[in-house]
Amino acid sequence: MGISHQAGSIVLRGKAWYGFYRKDVIDATTEDVRSVRVCVRLGLKSQMTKLKARDTLKAEIAKQTGQLADGRILKDGSVTFEWFVRNRYFPLRQGDWRPETAIEKTAQIEIDLIAKFGSRTIESIDKFELQTHVNHLARTYCQDRVKQARSYLKSIFDEAIEQEFLVKDPTRTLKIPKNLRPKDKQILTWEQLRAVLKAASKRDRILLMLDMTDALRPSELFAFRWKSFDDVNTLSITETIYRRKIRPFGKTPGSMTKVHLPDGLVAELRQWKLECPDPSPDAPMFPNADGGFLDPSNFRYRVLKLIREALELRKLNFQVLRRTIATRAQKLGSVKDVQSHLRHSRADTTANEYMQELPESVQQMVGTVYAMLTSTPTEQQRAGRFEPV
C-alpha cells in the first residue's frame, strides 16, 4: 500500500483549531483493514493562524498515518487497554510466569492498572495520565508495589508497540516518584528470637528453630519429608510447597541444595522423629492434624500471630525471621557467607534487601576509627589493630 498524501481538514471550535484526517488500521479481532476518522487538537487560535494550523495538521498526519517504515499498516489502536492486556499481553507473559506467580502478577495488574485504564483506548492514554496514576499509587502503597506497577506499564506499552498497535510509547520517560513509602524492614533481637522459641509448642519450636538456624523460606521449610533428613547433619531441599501443592523446584536454582544442621538441632530432630505420628520416609516432617503438610498461611495465623500478640511484638512472620538472621549474621561472616546461607542468587539482594544496619555495630566502628586516629602505632599494635602503611 502506498504512502498517504491526504491533507485533512481543519475547523475552529471555540478558541482552538482542530484537525480531522482518516487512517487505515487493522481490526484487532477480525484482522480486516478499515478506515477510521481521527480528530486532533492543533492549538489555540491566538497562537497560530489558519495556515499554520494546516501545516501542523499535515505534520501530525505524516507522523500518525498509521503506516510503518516498510509500508505496513498499524493495527487498530482504538482497542481498550483491558482488551489488549487480556488478549495480547497476558497470553504472552503467562508462558514465562510460574502458575502461582501468574496469579499474583495478574491480580496486581487487575487492581492497579486495569481498574484505572481498562475502558480507555490504548492510543488515548498519554504520559501525563500514567505519571499522575503512578504518583497516586506512591501515596497509597509501598515502594515495591509502585515500582512493579511502573514496570508493568512499561512492559504493556512496549508490547503494544512491538505488536504494532501503537507508534509512540507514552511510558518512555515514566518516572518512579521520589519519597516513596519505605518498606518495613523490622528485625528482632536475639532475646526476642529466644522468647519466640520459648513460647512455641515442641513441634513448632523445632520447626522455628530449624527456620531460624538455616534461614529457610516457608515454601522450603514446610515441604520437608523425613527422607530429606540424612539422620546425621544435613537436610536436602528437593521440593517446595505453595498453596498446599508440592513442587519439584525452588525460588532459584541455587535454593535446591543441602543445608547443614548443628549437632544440637540434629539431636532434637532425632527425638522429634521418635515422637512424630508418622516417621516414614515420605511423611511430612512437621505434619498437620490430618497427617498432611502444614500450610504456611495457616501457621502464620494460628501460631505466629498468637506468639506475636503474647510477646507484644510489632510484627512476626517468616520474612521478619529471615531478615533478622541475615542481619544478625553479618557480624559472624562475610556478605558472601550470608548470601550462601540464605541461598540468594545475587549478593546485592542479601546486602540491600535483607541485611539491615545495626546501630551498635556502627557505634563500635566509629569508636574503632577514632581510636585508630588518636592512638600511636605501638598502642595499635598492642591492641591488635596495627595496620602497616
Side-chain angles (χ1 to χ4, degrees):
M1 180 176 291
I3 301 299
S4 172
H5 296 289
Q6 62 175 310
S9 60
I10 63 171
V11 65
L12 183 62
R13 288 182 176 175
K15 298 181 179 181
W17 292 106
Y18 287 83
F20 297 88
Y21 65 95
R22 303 196 72 82
K23 71 175 181 178
D24 291 333
V25 296
I26 298 177
D27 190 283
T29 54
T30 65
E31 298 295 329
D32 293 333
V33 178
R34 61 187 180 87
S35 181
V36 296
R37 189 168 185 254
V38 180
C39 175
V40 58
R41 187 178 186 275
L42 303 174
L44 295 174
K45 180 184 177 183
S46 60
Q47 297 175 347
M48 63 172 57
T49 63
K50 187 174 182 179
L51 181 59
K52 187 176 181 180
R54 286 191 183 280
D55 291 339
T56 303
L57 178 59
K58 288 180 181 179
E60 184 67 22
I61 292 173
K63 179 181 176 182
Q64 301 287 350
T65 53
Q67 290 183 324
L68 305 175
D70 57 5
R72 286 175 296 151
I73 301 173
L74 200 67
K75 291 182 181 177
D76 189 358
S78 65
V79 298
T80 65
F81 180 84
E82 180 177 12
W83 184 95
F84 179 81
V85 172
R86 295 191 189 283
N87 294 278
R88 290 292 187 269
Y89 182 75
F90 281 158
L92 288 179
R93 289 296 180 269
Q94 286 174 341
D96 300 327
W97 297 334
R98 289 173 177 167
E100 61 274 12
T101 303
I103 294 173
E104 295 175 1
K105 290 180 178 292
T106 300
Q108 185 173 339
I109 292 173
E110 293 267 6
I111 296 170
D112 293 348
L113 304 181
I114 293 180
K116 173 65 176 180
F117 300 110
S119 61
R120 297 283 304 282
T121 62
I122 57 173
E123 65 180 4
S124 69
I125 302 173
D126 59 25
K127 173 190 170 182
F128 176 79
E129 294 176 282
L130 296 175
Q131 188 65 68
T132 54
H133 181 59
V134 172
N135 294 346
H136 170 73
L137 293 177
R139 294 191 294 270
T140 309
Y141 300 115
C142 69
Q143 57 179 310
D144 279 358
R145 184 154 177 176
V146 176
K147 290 178 180 178
Q148 287 170 352
R150 173 183 174 270
S151 177
Y152 292 142
L153 280 172
K154 292 183 73 68
S155 178
I156 289 168
F157 280 94
D158 182 67
E159 192 60 51
I161 293 173
E162 180 70 21
Q163 295 187 35
E164 300 173 0
F165 281 84
L166 292 175
V167 174
K168 185 177 179 181
D169 183 4
T171 68
R172 186 176 61 85
T173 57
L174 193 61
K175 299 177 182 178
I176 298 175
K178 295 181 179 180
N179 302 319
L180 292 174
R181 181 188 301 179
K183 290 173 61 177
D184 183 356
K185 294 187 176 181
Q186 177 196 358
I187 60 172
L188 304 178
T189 64
W190 289 115
E191 290 75 14
Q192 289 172 325
L193 291 175
R194 288 190 284 267
V196 169
L197 293 172
K198 186 176 180 180
S201 65
K202 184 170 186 178
R203 181 204 66 178
D204 298 339
R205 193 190 69 81
I206 296 175
L207 184 150
L208 289 171
M209 178 69 80
L210 178 59
D211 180 68
M212 294 179 188
T213 303
D214 284 294
L216 296 163
R217 300 178 178 92
S219 61
E220 301 162 349
L221 176 65
F222 289 87
F224 282 131
R225 306 174 192 263
W226 281 113
K227 65 181 180 182
S228 307
F229 180 36
D230 68 354
D231 219 36
V232 182
N233 62 356
T234 60
L235 271 173
S236 297
I237 303 175
T238 58
E239 300 173 312
T240 56
I241 189 169
Y242 183 80
R243 296 189 177 183
R244 301 177 182 174
K245 292 183 179 180
I246 295 294
R247 312 173 300 180
F249 56 82
K251 186 170 184 178
T252 65
S255 64
M256 307 301 280
T257 184
K258 292 183 178 180
V259 295
H260 177 75
L261 299 176
D263 292 340
L265 186 52
V266 169
E268 291 192 68
L269 279 176
R270 287 174 179 166
Q271 182 60 38
W272 171 243
K273 188 175 183 179
L274 296 176
E275 302 174 15
C276 185
D278 184 1
S280 61
D282 286 323
M285 186 176 289
F286 304 103
N288 59 21
D290 299 324
F293 289 94
L294 278 172
D295 180 68
S297 298
N298 286 344
F299 189 88
R300 279 191 290 266
Y301 182 77
R302 296 178 180 178
V303 177
L304 295 183
K305 181 176 181 290
L306 296 181
I307 294 177
R308 176 184 62 78
E309 292 173 348
L311 298 179
E312 298 182 348
L313 300 175
R314 182 165 58 86
K315 196 173 184 179
L316 179 62
N317 56 35
F318 290 106
Q319 186 72 8
V320 169
L321 294 178
R322 188 168 162 84
R323 189 187 305 119
T324 296
I325 298 304
T327 302
R328 299 297 171 188
Q330 64 182 294
K331 295 185 67 175
L332 308 177
S334 67
V335 173
K336 292 296 291 184
D337 294 334
V338 181
Q339 176 195 357
S340 176
H341 185 53
L342 270 68
R343 300 173 307 287
H344 283 151
S345 299
R346 300 182 301 170
D348 61 345
T349 300
T350 307
N352 298 331
E353 298 297 328
Y354 283 80
M355 297 174 70
Q356 305 300 301
E357 171 191 309
L358 290 172
E360 60 270 24
S361 295
V362 177
Q363 183 177 0
Q364 182 180 356
M365 179 190 68
V366 172
T368 302
V369 170
Y370 178 79
M372 293 292 287
L373 293 171
T374 57
S375 59
T376 65
T378 303
E379 292 171 332
Q380 294 173 16
Q381 190 172 16
R382 190 180 302 120
R385 294 196 296 259
F386 180 72
E387 296 181 6
V389 178

